[in-house]
Amino acid sequence: MEIFTEDLLEDTTSLFAVEEQIYDGEVNMMFYHHHNHYEIMYMTHDKRLMCIGDRKYELNQNNVALLPPYLAHKATGIGSLTKRRILINFKKEFISDMLPDDSLFSIFNMETHVFEFDNETREKIRKYFEDILQIYLYDNFYKDYHLKLKLCELILLLNKKGVGEEIVKIDDDIAKKFTSIAHFINNNCHSKITLDMISSTFDIDKYQLSRQFKDYLGASFVTYVNTVRITRARRMMLNGLNNVTEIAFTNGFDSPTHFSRVFKNMTGKTPKQYMKELHAVMPKE
């Protein structure tokens, strides 16, 4: 079964985590995944290719990726050199009490998600990531306060610097075509989408499309479409909509039964179970 949900902070008592990843060679994610928290990724060594939503990026040394909740993405290695990256995962509630409003989170919802910076800013960003990692690993009495402070300062710096320059890398015409296909699916997933429709719209042989879809977008055609739809459905639930029938038809499913079956296959929970757990942890107004 292909599971596309990776909730590193799914434990409702956990609002923050830092992970240091060091690996050799090409360590590739087979499929897209998404999670229920914000993620800031910093590449300290070598490079990786990243597919985020309907775009493909080359994440190089000192680049930063900003991912909002429920944005599907996957990464693949380039070359055989040792790679190191630091991932900061957090929920908004972790620092909401230290911010005047939610405006700083808008940087996570920009059209592009991977950025590079000038040398001076790179060094400041590098130090923030290394400091946050060390504070997280070594417990002390003021640990949470230090983490909140450093994270807020990092997000403020990214906002101040305008989140750098976009570094989108699309390598060839076929990759560009599949990026356009992914964009089309993302914008039309509320309607009926078939392989024949995509083949006709983008003038690509149906069987070639079927063969190459997974190579360029990380999943089969049906799985990718369902991933986009379930991601949209979860966002609607997060925004307070709890009518399963309305959510199902709004996101292009044939019936609430079909929607519920796909939702459970991908999340491990029925829509009603998911919404019940979501409402249990959402702050009361």
Side-chain angles (χ1 to χ4, degrees), residues 27-249:
V27 180
N28 301 325
M29 294 181 185
M30 293 280 298
F31 305 108
Y32 277 89
H33 70 282
H34 47 69
H35 33 65
N36 67 349
H37 53 267
Y38 290 88
E39 180 171 280
I40 308 177
M41 180 188 303
Y42 175 66
M43 199 74 185
T44 68
H45 290 78
D46 207 58
K47 61 180 67 176
R48 299 200 83 181
L49 284 179
M50 287 202 70
C51 298
I52 304 176
D54 56 12
R55 313 185 83 169
K56 181 183 286 187
Y57 302 85
E58 186 177 286
L59 187 62
N60 296 296
Q61 185 174 356
N62 295 315
N63 292 156
V64 175
L66 302 173
L67 304 174
Y70 305 120
L71 177 64
H73 58 279
K74 76 183 185 99
T76 61
I78 306 176
S80 58
L81 297 178
T82 298
K83 301 170 178 65
R84 176 176 181 259
R85 64 178 182 166
I86 301 174
L87 305 175
I88 298 175
N89 303 283
F90 68 97
K91 294 183 179 179
K92 186 183 293 187
E93 306 94 278
F94 183 68
I95 56 173
S96 58
D97 60 334
M98 301 187 68
L99 300 174
D101 53 50
D102 290 343
S103 60
L104 291 182
F105 288 95
S106 62
I107 60 172
F108 290 90
N109 295 312
M110 297 178 66
E111 185 176 354
T112 187
H113 294 278
V114 177
F115 306 90
E116 62 181 6
F117 301 87
D118 59 74
N119 290 334
E120 180 181 355
T121 306
R122 287 178 187 173
E123 179 56 27
K124 290 180 180 178
I125 290 173
R126 183 198 66 77
K127 191 172 189 312
Y128 273 117
F129 272 88
E130 299 291 357
D131 286 349
I132 289 172
L133 177 63
Q134 291 303 307
I135 295 169
Y136 182 76
L137 292 177
Y138 298 101
D139 196 4
N140 61 72
F141 185 75
Y142 297 106
K143 177 178 178 178
D144 280 355
Y145 175 76
H146 286 163
L147 290 173
K148 289 182 180 183
L149 184 61
K150 289 290 184 181
L151 179 58
C152 286
E153 289 176 347
L154 173 60
I155 296 176
L156 284 167
L157 174 63
L158 294 174
N159 273 273
K160 182 179 179 181
K161 292 297 181 179
V163 290
E165 299 294 330
E166 178 183 7
I167 55 170
V168 178
K169 300 289 184 181
I170 306 284
D171 298 326
D172 53 49
D173 291 338
I174 296 296
K176 290 178 181 178
K177 179 164 285 192
F178 273 89
T179 296
S180 298
I181 290 171
H183 190 67
F184 177 87
I185 292 172
N186 290 357
N187 288 336
N188 294 278
C189 64
H190 57 281
S191 305
K192 186 176 180 62
I193 299 177
T194 66
L195 203 61
D196 288 328
M197 174 197 298
I198 300 297
S199 173
S200 174
T201 301
F202 291 90
D203 191 26
I204 181 171
D205 179 76
K206 177 181 176 180
Y207 299 102
Q208 178 189 4
L209 175 64
S210 181
R211 286 195 309 271
Q212 294 183 324
F213 202 96
K214 191 169 185 178
D215 291 337
Y216 284 93
L217 294 177
S220 68
F221 172 75
V222 172
T223 302
Y224 184 86
V225 172
N226 284 337
T227 300
V228 173
R229 288 172 169 166
I230 294 301
T231 299
R232 280 170 45 95
R234 291 176 66 169
R235 284 177 180 166
M236 294 173 72
M237 295 173 186
L238 190 63
N239 290 329
L241 186 62
N242 56 18
N243 187 313
V244 173
T245 299
E246 181 179 352
I247 294 173
F249 289 126

